[in-house]
Amino acid sequence: MLKVTPRTKRILVPIISILAGFLIGAVIMLIWNYNPVQAYSSMFASALGNMNGIGEIIREATPLIFTAIGFAIASSAGFFNIGLPGQAQAGWLASIWVVLANPNLPKIVLLPLAIVAGIIAGAVVAGIAGWLRAQFGTNEVITTIMLNYIVLYSCQYLMQQIMSSSLRIDTDTTKTIAANGSLKIDRLSSFFGDSRINAGIFLALIAVVIYWYLMKKTTTGFEIRSVGANPYASRYAGMSTKKNIMLSMLLSGGFAGLGGVIQGLGTYQNYFTQTTSLDIGWDGLSVALLGGGTAIGILLAALLFSILKIGGLGMQTIAGIPYEIVSIVIAAIIFFIAIQYVIGRLFKNKQAPEVIAVKKETQVNVADKGGQK
Amino acid sequence: MSLVAILSLLVSSTFVYSAPLIFTALGGVYSENSGVTNIGLEGIMTMGAFSSIVFNLTFADTFGKLTPWLGALIGGIVGLIFSLLHAVATINFHADHIISGTVLNLMAPPLGVFLIKAIYDKGQTANINQSFGYFSFPGLANIPVLGPIFFKNTSAPAWAAIIVTIILWWLLYKTRFGLRLRSCGENPQAADTLGINVYGLRYAGVLISGFLGGIGGAIFAEAISGNFSISTIVGQGFMALAAVIFGKWNPIGAMLASLFFGFAQSISIIGNQLPFFNHIPAVYMQIAPYVITIVVLVLFFGKSVAPAADGQNYIKSK
């Protein structure tokens, strides 16, 4: 058993979870006669071996940073917002629609307008779940899941039936957006080997800072965390539980919506019919859990996940190993994060001498009291 | 279309869509009554669907008409093994029940598709030849009016589900095992004091949910989708979870809620064959089950109360 400080332990637990996740992936590959060494080496080589790969990793990580922040805000208020896929999807469709419908607006007006539309769309979807929770106490896990499906089918309907057919190529794909509504920066993407990296990453870095500042330095952040930690004590201290439920869900949905905006205005430059819930929603959830809800943790976890996902594509083509192993590794990592109590047991807390002294003293006191009884 | 024909179409398709939900929701009822929230029903269903289809494709020639039933059993066993992950994590390792359940949901679809690719070298399986199909009760099907509606060309798994519901209701409320299981969900400390093995009973609750959820997924695959792909199980597990809550954590309630959701789901699929419903735009039919779930939760939430210790880890003190 290793003796470490609590701070080191907080860093060691995720690292061990990641290694254990890779190990599980390797065992599964071995059982089915794939070569894990070849798999992982081709994964990292194809992801990090060239500028295009690195650009794509950053591109892949960008929306995850937003959805993860969205999940983390709700979860610090005590909510499990599992509706990130729907919220992101609403943001994606809304922002693309705004750009397509106003092709002649100047970029300085159109781009912010489209981004705000996406934020609002995501916030509205999450807000429904928040309002139902605040007003009727409805379990947000179920409502957000149901909203995912409602959004999935509604977006299909809105695009195919309501959107003007002049904005679409066919029933399943919209036209490509004009440059004045796009987050694409040609010089950036040609620097990164013509990858789809876009200005979204700068927004994501700003979002990370805003998230850190909001949660750690503002009264709003404190109230959200406090309601999450103990709703009864917070109410007693004069905080409105209902207001904070609504606020945290709106913020959460807004960030998730932004994740969808990045997919639309940054990566794909259009909207196309989705048949299942957006994976940036589920991956954002995983990223937030792995990152422990901290700003820097989310940033690093998003990059790791993207290396896995981009590398996984290379692994499939180079080594012929099914891409799904990447998602299995990710799920396994989250499993080990969930049982971190066990991983934590591997280490002993190294305590400063004075702490031990105080502890001994209290033990003596307790013993005394026991004697008096 | 005559009224009897419309009703028999409605009832049979409601039964077909309800059967997987009933089995899975019963599993949820047992898990939550033992004190473990199981949001991983979706993942468990996926594993049940995957394994039953592989079994069905492999052994259809050997077992003939019996294949889908044996496939359901295999699905149940695989679901049970898969749910062990959730049991160990929540009962022994103090994991958050929601996160651990989410891991099951994150894990199952890629694992299923990975294995399909490893076995068949393609992303989705072929269609099975031996599916559940329709079943007519001999004798009962000849009763006028009621016969064609309820007993002719109906779903055998749904009738099995209804019988299992009654047995599981009896087990939960009329036996010592059921009383002990419920005590672990209501007040594990008190149960432990009385010498009840809380960990053991919680294991029983989760593993039963794995077995029944696996059967539910298998029935969905072998009666409705007919093959396995990444999109075989999309939302049925969550729907079953909603049925648990709507049904007030009671087997009979969960069955009735599942029948209701099955009805809502089947309306969206057969709606265009029915008078009146065929004028409603498809999107309303598609989102109806989910909207209804939310509305029902809002209307009934105040009146339904989960077992007191549901979702809480019980850590035995030394």
Side-chain angles (χ1 to χ4, degrees):
Chain A
M1 223 186 271
L2 278 167
K3 283 195 174 187
V4 294
T5 61
R7 195 185 160 79
T8 335
K9 191 167 148 181
R10 267 214 309 279
I11 299 166
L12 274 175
V13 167
I15 290 177
I16 289 173
S17 299
I18 291 165
L19 294 176
F22 275 103
L23 198 66
I24 295 282
V27 169
I28 292 177
M29 283 190 271
L30 279 175
I31 294 174
W32 296 94
N33 274 328
Y34 296 108
N35 182 347
V37 178
Q38 191 198 5
Y40 289 138
S41 59
S42 65
M43 174 188 283
F44 287 107
S46 65
L48 299 166
N50 58 67
M51 284 310 264
N52 176 283
I54 293 169
E56 281 293 314
I57 287 167
I58 297 172
R59 193 271 308 160
E60 177 88 22
T62 310
L64 300 186
I65 294 171
F66 288 107
T67 46
I69 291 176
F71 180 82
I73 290 179
S75 109
S76 43
F79 298 105
F80 201 79
N81 180 6
I82 210 163
L84 301 161
Q87 291 145 25
Q89 197 179 350
W92 180 355
L93 179 63
S95 62
I96 287 290
W97 201 333
V98 165
V99 173
L100 288 174
N102 304 288
N104 299 321
L105 285 177
K107 185 159 192 163
I108 195 145
V109 181
L110 186 56
L111 191 56
L113 195 68
I115 291 174
V116 169
I119 295 175
I120 292 175
V124 167
V125 174
I128 295 171
W131 180 75
L132 290 171
R133 169 71 189 242
Q135 211 60 34
F136 305 104
T138 318
N139 184 328
E140 82 282 0
V141 175
I142 307 273
T143 50
T144 50
I145 287 168
M146 297 298 147
L147 281 163
N148 280 341
Y149 295 102
I150 295 173
V151 170
L152 185 66
Y153 294 118
S154 302
C155 283
Q156 201 175 330
Y157 172 73
L158 286 171
M159 182 195 149
Q160 294 176 345
Q161 310 283 338
I162 307 292
M163 183 184 274
S164 155
S165 59
S166 62
L167 305 182
R168 291 188 272 116
I169 294 175
D170 54 43
T171 47
D172 285 331
T173 327
T174 69
K175 287 188 171 154
T176 304
I177 54 171
N180 52 348
S182 170
L183 284 168
K184 227 161 110 178
I185 302 173
D186 289 335
R187 255 196 295 177
L188 190 67
S189 61
S190 60
F191 178 75
F192 282 101
D194 288 326
S195 64
R196 288 173 293 173
I197 185 172
N198 56 72
I201 185 62
F202 303 120
L203 296 178
L205 294 174
I206 296 169
V208 168
V209 176
I210 291 178
Y211 168 67
W212 169 80
Y213 185 80
L214 175 81
M215 297 311 279
K216 291 281 150 79
K217 301 282 168 192
T218 65
T219 322
T220 316
F222 175 75
E223 283 201 12
I224 288 177
R225 280 188 292 136
S226 144
V227 167
N230 190 337
Y232 305 104
S234 313
R235 200 179 307 151
Y236 187 71
M239 298 173 197
S240 162
T241 338
K242 284 187 180 181
K243 191 197 87 183
N244 279 294
I245 291 174
M246 275 310 292
L247 187 68
S248 59
M249 281 305 270
L250 287 174
L251 283 169
S252 172
F255 274 103
L258 252 171
V261 170
I262 304 300
Q263 289 296 73
L265 305 184
T267 308
Y268 295 110
Q269 310 281 315
N270 66 2
Y271 179 85
F272 46 90
T273 304
Q274 301 293 314
T275 48
T276 51
S277 299
L278 289 197
D279 50 4
I280 56 166
W282 301 114
D283 292 340
L285 183 159
S286 307
V287 165
L289 291 175
L290 177 60
T294 65
I296 188 77
I298 286 175
L299 195 63
L300 293 174
L303 285 171
L304 173 76
F305 274 48
S306 304
I307 292 172
L308 281 171
K309 296 221 136 194
I310 298 299
L313 293 172
M315 176 191 77
Q316 179 158 286
T317 43
I318 299 168
I321 294 157
Y323 174 76
E324 281 69 28
I325 200 73
V326 165
S327 306
I328 297 172
V329 169
I330 289 176
I333 292 173
I334 303 303
F335 180 75
F336 289 108
I337 294 283
I339 59 165
Q340 53 181 291
Y341 157 79
V342 182
I343 298 171
R345 290 273 293 256
L346 298 173
F347 312 109
K348 235 188 190 148
N349 274 347
K350 190 195 271 173
Q351 283 164 331
E354 62 267 34
V355 177
I356 295 172
V358 172
K359 243 195 176 169
K360 274 196 180 139
E361 209 169 287
T362 33
Q363 272 166 0
V364 173
N365 282 341
V366 171
D368 281 353
K369 274 186 191 154
Q372 280 163 9
K373 268 184 193 166
Chain B
M1 216 189 237
S2 75
L3 188 64
V4 170
I6 292 171
L7 282 178
S8 70
L9 177 63
L10 258 183
V11 169
S12 70
S13 68
T14 298
F15 272 15
V16 168
Y17 281 90
S18 301
L21 292 180
I22 297 176
F23 275 107
T24 313
L26 288 173
V29 166
Y30 266 70
S31 175
E32 306 227 343
N33 270 294
S34 77
V36 180
T37 305
N38 196 344
I39 198 182
L41 293 174
E42 176 94 357
I44 292 172
M45 280 185 89
T46 305
M47 290 315 287
F50 153 77
S51 52
S52 68
I53 290 290
V54 171
F55 176 85
N56 196 311
L57 288 170
T58 317
F59 291 105
D61 293 336
T62 322
F63 295 111
K65 289 231 173 297
L66 213 58
T67 319
W69 294 98
L70 290 172
L73 188 69
I74 297 294
I77 293 167
V78 170
L80 182 145
I81 295 167
F82 191 58
S83 71
L84 260 175
L85 270 181
H86 189 51
V88 173
T90 55
I91 299 166
N92 300 103
F93 294 164
H94 311 177
D96 183 295
H97 295 195
I98 303 276
I99 297 177
S100 167
T102 303
V103 169
L104 299 191
N105 295 338
L106 289 175
M107 178 78 86
L111 188 60
V113 175
F114 173 85
L115 295 178
I116 292 292
K117 282 183 178 171
I119 301 169
Y120 300 104
D121 211 18
K122 55 186 178 183
Q124 81 178 62
T125 69
N127 284 324
I128 53 171
N129 292 322
Q130 290 289 347
S131 68
F132 273 111
Y134 290 101
F135 166 79
S136 298
F137 282 93
L140 290 175
N142 299 327
I143 303 170
V145 186
L146 287 181
I149 295 175
F150 289 102
F151 303 118
K152 203 177 166 185
N153 288 337
T154 186
S155 154
W159 281 104
I162 291 169
I163 294 164
V164 170
T165 303
I166 295 165
I167 296 170
L168 289 180
W169 174 85
W170 175 80
L171 190 65
L172 192 61
Y173 288 105
K174 302 290 170 191
T175 65
R176 202 166 66 164
F177 168 77
L179 180 68
R180 291 184 165 185
L181 189 87
R182 284 183 291 131
S183 74
C184 296
E186 285 295 339
N187 193 334
Q189 282 82 3
D192 198 0
T193 316
L194 293 172
I196 292 170
N197 183 352
V198 177
Y199 282 14
L201 282 160
R202 285 195 163 184
Y203 261 94
V206 177
L207 297 186
I208 290 171
S209 85
F211 184 66
L212 293 171
I215 290 180
I219 290 175
F220 188 90
E222 293 182 302
I224 298 169
S225 68
N227 62 12
F228 180 81
S229 72
I230 192 87
S231 57
T232 298
I233 303 293
V234 277
Q236 286 82 12
F238 295 123
M239 204 65 114
L241 189 66
V244 173
I245 298 173
F246 182 22
K248 301 179 184 176
W249 290 269
N250 177 313
I252 306 276
M255 177 195 75
L256 294 175
S258 302
L259 282 169
F260 180 68
F261 289 145
F263 172 75
Q265 267 192 313
S266 65
I267 279 280
S268 76
I269 288 144
I270 61 164
N272 55 356
Q273 299 176 46
L274 300 174
F276 175 68
F277 284 106
N278 53 10
H279 297 297
I280 301 174
V283 63
Y284 294 111
M285 297 305 208
Q286 282 173 323
I287 66 172
Y290 309 105
V291 175
I292 292 169
T293 304
I294 293 180
V295 171
V296 157
L297 282 182
V298 169
L299 292 179
F300 291 89
F301 187 78
K303 292 167 200 153
S304 64
V305 179
D310 190 13
Q312 286 172 15
N313 285 324
Y314 177 64
I315 299 155
K316 201 176 161 85
S317 49
K318 280 157 197 154

